[in-house]
Amino acid sequence: MTTKIDLPSTSSSCPPFRKLTYDVFLSFRGTDTRTNFTDHLYAALKQKGIYTFRDDEELNRGESIGPNLLEAIEESRYVIVVFSQNYADSSWCLDELAKVAECRRAMGQTVLPVFYHVDPSDVRRQTGEHFGKAFQEHQERFGGNPDKLQRWKDSLAEIGNLSGWHLKDGYESKFIQEIVEKIFTELNQIIPIYEGLVGMDSHLNEMLSYLDIGCPDVRIIGICGMGGIGKTTIAQVVFERVQAQFEGCSFLENVREVTEKQGAVHLQKQLLSDLLECSVNVQNTKKGKSIMRERLRTKMVLIILDDVDQEKQLEALCDRESFGPGSRIIITTRDKHLLVEGDKVYTVNRLTDDEALELFRMKAFKKDQLVREDFLELSEEFLKYANGLPLAIKVLGSSIRGRSVKLWSSALKRLEKNPPKGIIDVLKVSFDGLEKSEKKIFLDIACFFKGGYIDHVTRILHGSDC
């Protein structure tokens, strides 16, 4: 069985001046675990995109470890120490561990011990059949260097007393998954995945409450709003934050566009490939749905279906019964009607005035730039045009960045006659998706009733059989 050991730890976050080259450094006894447990752990970390240092050299080592290895320890955010039965036999491993303990104390390095078929108390106290015997031999060999021996003992006591995992007789794959999930989740929390995204904290908190990860039912969550409002960005941030908590994940971007160009079968293949991590042959959508139901019904997965605009896309990709307990499907769409079968719908609103100004300043001005009063006055005019739409604010701000007041004024005058193509292309998708009669009503309102009262316009349109 595997047992999680929770003991006090004094490690802290690394000082800002510390150079970090690796996410993880693996310390292990090569003859014990190089080709089995440590190799599988290394592969799992690598598969998650976690940059890991593993010493692959089988060398006739001397009494001290080389400078490259010392440097790798110093430049790693995490150190995983795999205490195996013969770990303490190696003076090389013990020197490595002493360096790890030193870095932990001096730089706040996070150290995670793994007790691989050894008793944690034997590690801490250097007792038992393996660690006790090893130190008897070291005493004979290094008795003339008591400082070295004491440094090794202190390091084993310190690292052996940290929170870690104890593998006794359980499944190693599950054990490795726990370790990787912990590191992956923590790395995602410290990486600024939404740096520069205004108002993202509130979006993320709301979505996390809707997802309620850990609840065993399969949930479908919708993110709804007009084009350019930020639906896809919110989905991306949520995906990065929570994906490590699932057995498989898939982010299908631009479902509408991909369906038009390549068909729903292409998306089914991609979904199955992402979740099963292998190529899957799908002849048609019916076959794809059958494969999903058979292969994914016990798997807890996270799926993002981005920019859905037709019910048939959901029929091909979003059968609730096809996924295992605890699975979560997030759908972004402009059409709230498509989310009637969902459990929750998060409607994305326009930015507040303060948020809009913050985003515009980020795009239109250089960092820490002193902004003159005339620029601020023109900024307000641009923001009136953008009306809280993040896409419009980004496009407008970027287009005038670094330009003179005169060019800002000129750009402002051109807006009503010639809006930026980047904005028109996104908004036009919504218009193209309307029925013929709906397009007619839209154009009538845009051309003849702009600024009119809703009740008055509604009566006129009803009177004309629209």
Side-chain angles (χ1 to χ4, degrees):
M1 62 178 289
T2 63
T3 305
K4 182 73 181 295
I5 302 173
D6 291 311
L7 295 168
S9 171
T10 58
S11 63
S12 59
S13 59
C14 299
F17 59 84
R18 181 179 169 214
K19 177 184 177 183
L20 291 171
T21 303
Y22 304 99
D23 293 319
V24 175
F25 179 97
L26 289 178
S27 176
F28 61 98
R29 182 75 162 107
T31 54
D32 285 353
T33 65
R34 180 183 297 278
T35 59
N36 43 66
F37 178 80
T38 298
D39 185 55
H40 299 152
L41 175 58
Y42 175 78
L45 290 165
K46 187 177 179 182
Q47 196 275 328
K48 283 290 188 182
I50 300 171
Y51 191 29
T52 304
F53 182 94
R54 174 183 63 174
D55 179 22
D56 286 317
E57 298 298 322
E58 291 280 11
L59 301 174
N60 295 318
R61 292 166 171 172
E63 295 299 326
S64 60
I65 57 180
N68 291 342
L69 210 59
L70 294 174
E71 190 175 87
I73 295 172
E74 292 174 356
E75 296 177 4
S76 296
R77 187 182 298 276
Y78 290 84
V79 175
I80 298 176
V81 182
V82 182
F83 288 119
S84 56
Q85 293 179 351
N86 298 302
Y87 185 92
D89 291 354
S90 168
S91 60
W92 179 286
C93 287
L94 293 173
D95 278 340
E96 194 172 86
L97 185 70
K99 178 64 177 179
V100 170
E102 177 188 320
C103 289
R104 177 179 176 272
R105 291 190 298 269
M107 300 186 290
Q109 193 171 57
T110 302
V111 183
L112 302 173
V114 175
F115 302 98
Y116 186 74
H117 299 295
V118 296
D119 190 323
S121 65
D122 287 347
V123 175
R124 292 192 288 268
R125 300 169 185 169
Q126 302 88 57
T127 56
E129 178 184 357
H130 302 287
F131 282 76
K133 181 181 177 182
F135 266 83
Q136 288 177 5
E137 295 176 356
H138 289 319
Q139 186 68 44
E140 295 175 4
R141 186 178 180 189
F142 299 103
N145 191 347
D147 290 343
K148 177 188 283 284
L149 285 171
Q150 192 59 48
R151 195 161 75 107
W152 289 348
K153 290 180 179 181
D154 291 344
S155 300
L156 284 165
E158 178 182 344
I159 305 304
N161 201 47
L162 298 177
S163 175
W165 291 269
H166 185 192
L167 175 63
K168 296 178 182 177
D169 53 8
Y171 290 104
E172 291 189 4
S173 59
K174 184 178 179 180
F175 187 58
I176 288 171
Q177 184 180 351
E178 287 183 20
I179 299 171
V180 174
E181 182 176 307
K182 172 182 173 61
I183 294 175
F184 189 82
T185 301
E186 291 184 1
L187 285 174
N188 282 345
Q189 289 174 347
I190 60 177
I191 293 172
I193 55 175
Y194 52 93
E195 183 178 1
L197 300 180
V198 175
M200 188 53 67
D201 281 331
S202 60
H203 294 312
L204 181 60
N205 291 335
E206 191 75 13
M207 282 297 297
L208 290 177
S209 70
Y210 284 6
L211 288 171
D212 193 16
I213 297 171
C215 198
D217 57 338
V218 177
R219 293 195 178 182
I220 299 174
I221 309 298
I223 302 178
C224 187
M226 66 181 296
I229 201 74
K231 302 182 297 296
T232 300
T233 302
I234 294 170
Q236 288 170 336
V237 170
V238 172
F239 185 79
E240 290 296 329
R241 174 57 64 89
V242 305
Q243 62 174 304
Q245 300 177 54
F246 295 83
E247 295 177 277
C249 52
S250 177
F251 195 118
L252 298 183
E253 295 184 87
N254 303 317
V255 168
R256 172 187 56 81
E257 184 179 342
V258 174
T259 303
E260 291 174 357
K261 294 180 178 179
Q262 297 174 281
V265 170
H266 177 83
L267 289 167
Q268 287 181 327
K269 287 181 180 178
Q270 183 183 336
L271 181 67
L272 287 163
S273 175
D274 290 343
L275 298 178
L276 299 175
E277 298 183 4
C278 65
S279 178
V280 181
N281 184 27
V282 179
Q283 291 88 11
N284 51 61
T285 55
K286 185 177 180 180
K287 180 68 173 178
K289 291 173 67 175
S290 297
I291 296 173
M292 280 190 274
R293 195 173 298 115
E294 290 297 318
R295 296 290 171 262
L296 301 174
R297 62 185 175 183
T298 62
K299 198 174 176 102
M300 179 179 166
V301 299
L302 172 66
I303 299 170
I304 311 291
L305 303 179
D306 172 51
D307 194 18
V308 172
D309 72 336
Q310 295 179 27
E311 192 171 336
K312 65 180 182 181
Q313 295 159 356
L314 297 178
E315 292 174 356
L317 301 166
C318 191
D319 178 7
R320 194 190 296 262
E321 303 301 320
S322 296
F323 309 110
S327 294
R328 297 291 183 266
I329 300 99
I330 298 175
I331 301 166
T332 75
T333 181
R334 306 180 188 204
D335 187 354
K336 194 171 184 177
H337 173 72
L338 294 173
L339 302 172
V340 291
E341 298 298 326
D343 299 288
K344 292 273 190 178
V345 177
Y346 180 56
T347 302
V348 186
N349 296 317
R350 298 171 186 268
L351 296 179
T352 64
D353 290 345
D354 289 341
E355 290 172 340
L357 180 58
E358 181 184 350
L359 180 58
F360 184 79
R361 292 187 66 150
M362 287 170 52
K363 297 299 178 182
F365 302 107
K366 297 177 182 178
K367 189 176 182 180
D368 300 326
Q369 178 181 341
L370 186 63
V371 182
R372 299 195 328 241
E373 188 65 30
D374 47 0
F375 278 114
L376 286 177
E377 291 176 1
L378 288 170
S379 296
E380 292 178 4
E381 295 302 315
F382 279 105
L383 290 174
K384 287 179 184 178
Y385 178 87
N387 196 24
L389 186 66
L391 172 70
I393 295 170
K394 291 176 184 177
V395 171
L396 294 175
S398 299
S399 68
I400 55 177
R401 184 182 178 90
R403 298 181 182 272
S404 66
V405 170
K406 183 178 180 180
L407 288 174
W408 275 46
S409 299
S410 177
L412 196 56
K413 291 176 182 177
R414 291 198 305 269
L415 279 179
E416 290 192 11
K417 294 182 179 179
N418 188 25
K421 186 175 184 296
I423 300 174
I424 293 299
D425 288 345
V426 171
L427 298 181
K428 188 172 181 292
V429 172
S430 297
F431 177 78
D432 291 341
L434 297 174
E435 298 294 333
K436 186 175 180 180
S437 60
E438 294 171 331
K439 289 180 179 178
K440 183 176 180 297
I441 294 172
F442 177 88
L443 292 173
D444 285 343
I445 294 172
C447 294
F448 304 113
F449 301 110
K450 184 178 179 181
Y453 290 101
I454 292 177
D455 291 343
H456 175 66
V457 174
T458 302
R459 287 197 301 272
I460 294 175
L461 293 175
H462 277 314
S464 62
D465 295 327
C466 289

